[in-house]
Amino acid sequence: MRKRIGVLTYRGESGFVEPGYLRRLVKEGREMGAEVFLFSPQDVRFAEKRINGYVPDGTKWRRERFAWPDIVIDRYRYYPLPKHRAYLPFRKQNWFRYANNRFSNKYVVHQILIQDPELQRWLPETLPYDRKTLAAMLADHRLVYLKPTNGTGGRSILRVEKRAGRYLLHGRTKQQAKSCEKLATLTEVCERLEHWMKNEKSGNEQFFLQQGLRLSLVPKRTVDARMLVQKNGKGQWCLTGMGIRVGPIQSSTSNLHGGGTALPAVSFLVKRFGQEMAERIVLECKELAIKTVTRIEEHFGLMMEFGFDLGIDVNGKVWIIEINPKPGREIFKQMRQYERYAMAVRRPLEYALYLVNKSNLTD
């Protein structure tokens, strides 16, 4: 009998977010012999144990009634906004068997990881925003980022740099509008940051400060590495792939949404650091990924995949900037690594089917 995999995601008035990836997920699942469909909390009929799920139909989505899934992949990207109000109570019910547990916001995750002595060397200083903390961090690092706890795609991040007695601010709003300004005093900077947080926060979202890193491996551009680690069909963590993202000139982030470009990691690092050091950097990235996901699973339970945003500074030191439990995989398309992209889509399905088969054997 075909295994049934439900994919929990947000469905609004204008349809699904990331429809391209979700279509591909359903298609790959079918090719693997599984029945895959999308649904949102409002689509579940608990009394009947049925779900009004969705599958692609040409360029549209067709609604069908499905029996209870054998397993659910949680792909719902939650933000503390009224439209997502139903998600947390729904998710806490555990009506289904999930392939991945719930995660937490970026700041909370940093607090958990910083307690592990093995991980501390990879973590930049990260603290809640207040005026005193900002002053101390700018004195120590001269470059500080203000970030939202639930942000994505480089949105709502403000970069503050102390240079020649002045403060340079660069950022991008929720709508991807660029913001650049020079301010003379720290008081002005604090007022500007507080105004930014008020305008940019989603619901009751908080902001935190993070040590800025010297990531200009390409002059005047922000450069970072995106690494995708996923569980395979045997339940083991694997590195699916890695790419380098180079931001536009004078941009505060390297995100592809904001006009960044993607390059293959090894060839980029060899050009910058030489063969031997490039190999050491890639090896260190793999090591920190496996150590970090192990620590995260100890705290949150079984997970399925993570996108790591890593900083590689001008001295070749590696830093964990951010970890995303519901990562994109478009970077492989940008690098024309289409087979790797296909693998990145298939692996969550392979892992979900592995969990179903494993539980069938033990039942």
Side-chain angles (χ1 to χ4, degrees):
M1 217 172 92
R2 291 207 304 166
K3 304 290 187 288
R4 223 176 354 264
I5 301 173
V7 179
L8 174 63
T9 184
Y10 171 72
R11 182 173 61 78
E13 286 171 19
S14 57
F16 294 104
V17 287
E18 49 177 17
Y21 165 62
L22 294 171
R23 280 173 193 281
R24 185 74 184 258
L25 199 62
V26 175
K27 179 176 169 283
E28 291 284 348
R30 281 180 187 157
E31 286 174 11
M32 290 160 64
E35 185 175 48
V36 183
F37 63 91
L38 313 182
F39 73 100
S40 292
Q42 70 265 32
D43 300 322
V44 180
R45 303 291 169 262
F46 295 107
E48 306 154 43
K49 271 214 153 186
R50 290 259 165 199
I51 296 176
N52 290 329
Y54 291 80
V55 291
D57 184 4
T59 57
K60 296 189 166 65
W61 295 92
R62 185 174 73 247
R63 194 170 90 161
E64 290 181 17
R65 283 167 71 74
F66 290 91
W68 226 233
D70 295 299
I71 196 156
V72 171
I73 292 171
D74 183 352
R75 187 66 194 174
Y76 197 115
R77 288 176 165 176
Y78 168 79
Y79 300 95
L81 293 167
K83 66 180 181 180
H84 296 307
R85 196 183 294 120
Y87 169 74
L88 288 178
F90 176 88
R91 189 63 173 83
K92 284 172 183 168
Q93 291 298 323
N94 280 334
W95 289 100
F96 309 107
R97 175 144 194 237
Y98 285 96
N100 49 332
N101 276 288
R102 275 178 47 240
F103 200 49
S104 192
N105 73 50
K106 295 168 190 177
Y107 184 71
V108 171
V109 171
H110 181 276
Q111 296 306 96
I112 291 157
L113 298 181
I114 200 77
Q115 289 165 31
D116 187 326
E118 283 202 20
L119 299 179
Q120 283 169 3
R121 64 191 164 116
W122 291 310
L123 295 164
E125 186 179 14
T126 303
L127 295 163
Y129 171 83
D130 69 38
R131 291 188 173 199
K132 254 186 173 163
T133 305
L134 177 67
M137 286 179 76
L138 280 170
D140 285 346
H141 309 298
R142 289 192 24 249
L143 180 64
V144 172
Y145 281 87
L146 178 74
K147 294 184 170 186
T149 50
N150 293 82
T152 183
R155 295 175 183 88
S156 306
I157 293 173
L158 200 55
R159 167 190 161 117
V160 184
E161 187 175 5
K162 188 177 180 183
R163 199 193 290 173
R166 298 179 82 77
Y167 299 90
L168 306 181
L169 275 61
H170 285 275
R172 278 211 324 275
T173 67
K174 272 189 273 203
Q175 283 75 36
Q176 298 287 12
K178 280 189 181 176
S179 168
C180 298
E181 52 198 313
K182 284 183 186 173
L183 297 172
T185 68
L186 189 58
T187 304
E188 283 177 281
V189 174
C190 292
E191 284 168 1
R192 180 69 186 100
L193 263 59
E194 285 153 21
H195 184 258
W196 179 272
M197 289 186 278
K198 191 178 161 194
N199 282 355
E200 288 293 314
K201 74 174 183 175
S202 298
N204 60 357
E205 185 171 51
Q206 302 298 307
F207 278 72
F208 61 90
L209 298 168
Q210 192 168 71
Q211 169 189 346
L213 307 169
R214 299 287 162 190
L215 304 178
S216 49
L217 296 180
V218 176
K220 295 187 178 176
R221 295 176 188 259
T222 299
V223 177
D224 66 12
R226 163 57 69 93
M227 181 168 57
L228 182 63
V229 290
Q230 297 175 297
K231 282 191 178 161
N232 62 14
K234 294 176 182 171
Q236 302 153 331
W237 285 107
C238 299
L239 173 62
T240 301
M242 184 173 170
I244 297 288
R245 302 184 304 183
V246 181
I249 285 183
Q250 304 291 14
S251 171
S252 56
T253 65
S254 65
N255 292 73
L256 303 180
H257 295 291
T261 51
L263 303 167
V266 176
S267 54
F268 176 89
L269 292 170
V270 167
K271 208 178 280 182
R272 183 65 178 73
F273 294 107
Q275 188 74 39
E276 195 182 322
M277 194 166 175
E279 285 174 13
R280 180 195 66 70
I281 289 169
V282 172
L283 209 63
E284 186 178 344
C285 291
K286 287 182 188 173
E287 181 197 352
L288 78 84
I290 299 306
K291 282 188 172 169
T292 305
V293 293
T294 304
R295 181 78 188 91
I296 285 170
E297 287 197 304
E298 283 170 11
H299 197 275
F300 291 100
L302 291 179
M303 305 301 279
M304 181 177 70
E305 60 179 355
F306 284 100
F308 278 77
D309 288 352
L310 302 172
I312 300 163
D313 70 20
V314 290
N315 303 312
K317 179 166 166 48
V318 181
W319 300 85
I320 298 173
I321 300 173
E322 202 167 293
I323 307 164
N324 182 352
K326 291 165 188 174
R329 50 219 80 210
E330 298 304 304
I331 191 167
F332 302 123
K333 274 190 185 173
Q334 294 243 350
M335 296 190 293
R336 296 187 168 84
Q337 296 179 354
Y338 298 114
E339 283 181 26
R340 209 177 283 267
Y341 175 78
M343 185 201 293
V345 176
R346 276 197 309 270
R347 277 195 163 154
L349 297 162
E350 289 169 354
Y351 177 59
L353 291 171
Y354 157 81
L355 289 177
V356 173
N357 293 330
K358 193 174 145 199
S359 72
N360 288 348
L361 288 172
T362 54
D363 283 352

